[in-house]
Amino acid sequence: MTNAPNLSQPPRWLPLHVLCGGLLAAVGVLALSKQPVETWLVLPSTATEMGMRCGFSLGVLIVALLLAMSLGLAVGLLTRRLGRHAEALVAFIGRALACLPVAALAWGFVSLWIGKYGGPVETLMPTELPVAQNVWQITLARLLWEFLAPALLLAVPLAGEIIYCVITDAKATVDLDFALRARGVPSDARLWRHHLRQLLPLLRARMQALCLVAPVYLIVIEDVLRFMGWGGWMAQSIRAVDVNGIAIGLATGGLMMALLCGGLHFLRGRLRPSANLLTAFAWQPWPLWGLGLMTLSPFSSSPWLVLWFAVLLSGSASWHEAWTGVEKQLPLDPARSFGVSEAGLWLRHVAFVQCRMFVAWISAVFAQTLLWIAVACALQPTLLLELGVPLARWFRPLAVGSSQDAAHTLTDPTALLEAGGIIALAALCLIQVSRIVQPRPS
């Protein structure tokens, strides 16, 4: 997700950047597929459903993001009253939730809810009711459950990420507690009004970053639940290596992400937009583009390298800003005034800090790459052949690619849950190493 030491400031006109990026990614996929130019605008026979599919998925995304933001704010701000030790524990739990592989989360929910408890999932095993009870209330309940199931599943990792971000970003706000207490402001007003006003600009940037990640997780959830939305379209196109379908999915996905990022402009307060070209380049849905490029013949021989570079590019701006903040604290100018050479300056003051930055960056990149490999294996199980033996053993239970695999998972989800737990634990350990090693400006 966005477990970086600090989040970079979003670029100006972010929705327009994302929309143009989606269109360019679609054109790039078509160009790399070496298809004739005249076939680029030939839409598949089911492309007329795309508007309805995008509307369904956009509704699911909005519900999931609102639910995650509400839970994250409530838990994060209430934990602020409990002290630093409680904040550290809740932030760790939030990071652990954000590291859950979404494929294990979705299949685990389906197997436990349907296989163990016998509950209904309207897109998989609908509720069987007498015909006389098929009134509008029942129809509305079916429709709500059909939309709420993917929204609730998607909200789990997003809420964990927001809980962690709210607690972490609270340290960057000005502590006005003593001054407000002296003025007689009640504790609830201090927490929810004054502190929340400072937190909203940072929260808005975090939510915009999640808007670039949440649709990619929704692809796996819709594929598992057989929800007829944009994510189901993308899953079918990726599995069938349908280049035109992938291109349409990238373009419409960019449109949905642009609408989500634009909708967050209604939140009061904003960070100063960044004019850096690297920031505009990094604030793109690189994981989604990586999943699309993995299916093409130039990149199918090394698909995991594509995902690694996608994660590397998506976090480049935040790590560049982290290094800029650390570099300003180094005593470089005083050392130069004492006549230290540039080589000695680098050896004494810069090399060790850069080494720590590099270790922290690589650890975070590998942690996020593990999670995206889990997503890719869930969408295209044949990619397991490109993994080594230890990694293939980890990710194989997540690759439910046939009806036999689905039936086995519904009967006994133990292997799936164990694989998901191992991957989440490995990613969490790497992120913890990144946080410990990462130097921070004083």
Side-chain angles (χ1 to χ4, degrees):
M1 302 282 278
T2 59
N3 278 305
N6 69 322
L7 189 68
S8 65
Q9 298 174 357
R12 191 183 300 274
W13 303 107
L14 175 62
L16 183 60
H17 280 280
V18 175
L19 178 60
C20 294
L23 295 176
L24 290 176
V27 173
V29 166
L30 292 173
L32 289 173
S33 63
K34 299 180 181 180
Q35 292 186 0
V37 179
E38 57 270 13
T39 63
W40 288 9
L41 298 178
V42 178
L43 300 179
S45 58
T46 57
T48 55
E49 307 173 5
M50 202 58 183
M52 186 179 298
R53 285 174 173 265
C54 289
F56 290 162
S57 293
L58 190 61
V60 172
L61 286 169
I62 291 173
V63 172
L65 288 169
L66 289 177
L67 181 60
M69 184 174 65
S70 302
L71 289 175
L73 278 175
V75 174
L77 293 180
L78 291 177
T79 307
R80 185 178 171 86
R81 297 181 174 182
L82 304 179
R84 295 182 179 179
H85 297 291
E87 285 186 354
L89 177 61
V90 174
F92 180 80
I93 295 174
R95 286 194 300 273
L97 287 176
C99 290
L100 287 176
V102 68
L105 184 67
W107 276 111
F109 163 76
V110 169
S111 60
L112 293 177
W113 183 253
I114 294 179
K116 184 175 181 180
Y117 299 106
V121 175
E122 290 301 319
T123 52
L124 293 174
M125 297 179 66
T127 309
E128 296 182 2
L129 296 173
V131 180
Q133 298 185 16
N134 193 15
V135 293
W136 69 269
Q137 294 93 337
I138 300 298
T139 304
L140 179 61
R142 289 178 183 274
L143 186 63
L144 287 177
W145 178 237
E146 183 177 345
F147 276 86
L148 284 178
L152 291 174
L153 284 177
L154 181 60
V156 172
L158 299 185
E161 185 72 23
I162 296 176
I163 289 171
Y164 164 70
C165 294
V166 167
I167 294 176
T168 304
D169 293 340
K171 301 175 183 178
T173 59
V174 180
D175 189 3
L176 301 175
D177 189 69
F178 182 77
L180 294 174
R181 276 190 299 170
R183 292 168 53 189
V185 179
S187 59
D188 291 339
R190 293 199 305 266
L191 182 66
W192 293 101
R193 292 186 59 187
H194 298 277
H195 183 66
L196 184 58
R197 286 183 179 179
Q198 298 184 71
L199 196 61
L200 278 181
L202 299 173
L203 179 64
R204 176 182 169 180
R206 297 286 187 179
M207 290 296 295
Q208 286 178 332
L210 288 181
C211 288
L212 305 181
V213 177
V216 191
Y217 279 7
L218 186 61
I219 297 175
V220 179
I221 293 175
E222 288 190 4
D223 183 50
V224 172
L225 296 180
R226 298 298 186 265
F227 184 81
M228 295 300 291
W230 169 86
W233 168 284
M234 282 296 294
Q236 294 172 7
S237 301
I238 291 174
R239 193 169 289 120
V241 196
D242 182 8
V243 178
N244 286 344
I246 292 173
I248 294 174
L250 292 179
T252 52
L255 176 61
M256 286 195 308
M257 294 177 190
L259 291 175
L260 292 173
C261 292
L264 288 170
H265 281 270
F266 290 102
L267 286 179
R268 296 182 59 183
R270 64 187 65 184
L271 296 176
R272 183 179 179 181
S274 174
N276 190 359
L277 183 61
L278 178 63
T279 303
F281 188 71
W283 277 77
Q284 294 289 340
W286 287 103
L288 176 61
W289 296 358
L291 290 176
L293 290 175
M294 283 172 60
T295 60
L296 302 180
S297 55
F299 305 101
S300 57
S301 58
S302 56
W304 312 125
L305 192 61
V306 176
L307 281 182
W308 192 81
F309 272 106
V311 175
L312 199 69
L313 292 173
S314 62
S316 58
S318 60
W319 288 94
H320 180 265
E321 288 194 6
W323 166 247
T324 302
V326 172
E327 189 180 22
K328 291 179 181 178
Q329 304 293 328
L330 298 179
L332 302 182
D333 291 334
R336 289 192 184 96
S337 64
F338 280 101
V340 180
S341 62
E342 292 297 326
L345 198 70
W346 184 82
L347 288 174
R348 294 181 183 181
H349 300 286
V350 179
F352 180 68
V353 179
Q354 282 187 344
C355 182
R356 290 178 58 186
M357 284 284 297
F358 180 76
V359 173
W361 187 18
I362 294 300
S363 298
V365 167
F366 276 120
Q368 296 173 33
T369 305
L370 282 177
L371 299 178
W372 290 120
I373 289 176
V375 171
C377 288
L379 294 177
Q380 204 169 16
T382 57
L383 295 176
L384 285 171
L385 300 176
E386 304 294 334
L387 288 175
V389 176
L391 288 178
R393 189 182 301 113
W394 286 4
F395 292 100
R396 183 169 289 109
L398 304 180
V400 183
S402 63
S403 57
Q404 292 81 5
D405 294 338
H408 179 71
T409 302
L410 290 176
T411 305
D412 184 13
T414 305
L416 175 84
L417 297 178
E418 288 179 354
I422 291 174
I423 295 169
L425 182 60
L428 184 60
C429 290
L430 288 171
I431 288 174
Q432 288 295 103
V433 170
S434 175
R435 292 185 67 253
I436 293 172
V437 176
Q438 167 65 27
R440 297 170 179 83
S442 57

